[in-house]
Amino acid sequence: MIQKTSVGTVAKSLTEYWSQRVVAEANGNLFKVAKGLGATSWHAHHDQEETFLVLDGALTVQLRDGDVHLEAGDLLVIPRGVEHCPLASEDVFLLLIGPDVTSTAAGGKPAWSVEGGRPTPG
Amino acid sequence: MIQKTSVGTVAKSLTEYWSQRVVAEANGNLFKVAKGLGATSWHAHHDQEETFLVLDGALTVQLRDGDVHLEAGDLLVIPRGVEHCPLASEDVFLLLIGPDVTSTAAGGKPAWSVEGGRPTPG
């Protein structure tokens, strides 16, 4: 039997910020659940688009030409090569879709984001 | 500037059941918003996986080996070639992800589903 995934339940179970949990794969893309707080590093993905869908909370995606503010149910595709820096003032829960797990240092994962880590205020 | 999409707003604007509105494209996959009521026809997609994410409401995905009941936030990937027949007793709003628009007769779109059409009770 095919198994469903409750993305909200997975999201709430995550312990580390800006890490991605793969919950499904289809047509060469991974469905990845993450939670965010504070900012990642500025980065770009030169080999793939990255799609954000906000599950709960709010996320500001900083771009070099302005910010895009996302709330629950908002979807945003970051084109290849476009620099971005997601920022959340409170916990935000995300579904990310793309061919690879991008929660790496090159993918913007901040150094403070390890098990139990939290962003430095200010 | 990159544009966001409120998938919920698009979903609530749809007038026809089991039609798909493409809201974004990334990495060879389309993000499609739809609303459902009643059942589609039994069908399978032999060339692609089809991913369902329920935005609001509830959907029963009937499979030959049993039903999978989905509620808001539940994600289900239908593998290639697997026969399925989605069924909703009340309006359900969906995000579908896959390389093609599948709201065709071959893709299970029922004959009654035209502008203003509603399923026959029973």
Side-chain angles (χ1 to χ4, degrees), chain B residues 30-50:
Chain B
L30 302 175
F31 291 81
K32 306 166 287 183
V33 177
K35 71 170 177 176
L37 180 66
T40 72
S41 306
W42 279 92
H43 65 283
H45 309 291
H46 294 282
D47 57 347
Q48 62 197 281
E49 285 93 45
E50 184 170 52

Side-chain angles (χ1 to χ4, degrees), chain B residues 15 17 35-36 43 51-53 91 100 121:
Chain B
T15 54
Y17 291 102
K35 71 170 177 176
H43 65 283
T51 302
F52 288 75
L53 177 67
D91 281 9
D100 299 303

